[in-house]
Amino acid sequence: MSATTPAAPAPAPTVIGVPAPQEDVDAIVAFVAGVQEAQLNADPDAFLAGFREDAIWTTAHGKRLTGLPEISAFTRKVLPPQADSPVIATYTADLILFVRPDIAAVKIRQRPAERAGGAYLDEIFHGQEDPAELMAARPEAVPGTPTYVLAKDDGVWRIAAAQNTQVLDVETLTAG
């Protein structure tokens, strides 16, 4: 895997809920790839372009952000310093639930990887019986499991609400 591309193509997401055209599935998968690219490049403008003005966001550490101005201020503070981080994150749309044709809940698989070389850091947890000590020693290797609620306005999918969560469930973490 390079710093921007996973070693193998991501599997197609599971799609459930009301019927939706493949073009919307493809647009959502591309949206998630765009989030990854914005994060990788530490580009606040590209990242923020994916939000509705009235969006709500909860970070992996539980900070609630309400509205694009608040999300923007936070993002502009924390994202640019990540440009030199040796750790990046990959984002894959794992499950898409179309609540309505214009509303989708998207479950994301977020995996930390080395910027140089692209090795997935979370693989150290696979097969561990009790990874608690390893999690404390290597917090940068803990993956995430965000959920995005996307709304399609004027033909464009954007985040209306999102919750980013670190994977702390032992069974999920150790299974891979």
Side-chain angles (χ1 to χ4, degrees), residues 12-18 20 22 24-30 32 93-99 103-108 148 150 157:
T14 300
V15 179
I16 59 176
V18 302
Q22 185 62 42
D24 281 330
V25 173
D26 294 344
I28 290 170
V29 168
V32 173
D94 188 46
L95 175 91
I96 302 172
L97 163 63
F98 283 96
V99 179
I103 302 289
V106 184
K107 199 68 201 132
I108 311 293
Y148 300 164
L150 302 180
W157 289 98

Side-chain angles (χ1 to χ4, degrees), residues 100-113:
R100 298 186 332 211
D102 62 338
I103 302 289
V106 184
K107 199 68 201 132
I108 311 293
R109 184 171 190 204
Q110 181 186 48
R111 298 184 70 193

Side-chain angles (χ1 to χ4, degrees), residues 28-138:
I28 290 170
V29 168
F31 177 89
V32 173
V35 171
Q36 174 179 301
E37 198 65 24
Q39 292 279 345
L40 176 69
N41 294 314
D43 184 344
D45 292 327
F47 180 75
L48 293 165
F51 287 86
R52 288 171 44 113
E53 189 69 33
D54 59 353
I56 59 172
W57 176 271
T58 303
T59 70
H61 299 105
K63 182 172 184 65
R64 186 186 77 190
L65 305 168
T66 304
L68 190 55
E70 193 172 338
I71 294 167
S72 179
F74 177 82
T75 300
R76 292 182 189 289
K77 179 180 174 185
V78 302
L79 188 55
Q82 297 303 309
D84 297 324
S85 174
V87 177
I88 61 168
T90 63
Y91 294 74
T92 305
D94 188 46
L95 175 91
I96 302 172
L97 163 63
F98 283 96
V99 179
R100 298 186 332 211
D102 62 338
I103 302 289
V106 184
K107 199 68 201 132
I108 311 293
R109 184 171 190 204
Q110 181 186 48
R111 298 184 70 193
E114 295 175 345
R115 184 178 293 274
Y120 287 116
L121 302 179
D122 61 337
E123 291 181 353
I124 64 171
F125 301 115
H126 299 178
Q128 295 286 323
E129 242 179 79
D130 182 8
E133 204 171 294
L134 191 54
M135 290 167 66
R138 298 283 312 275

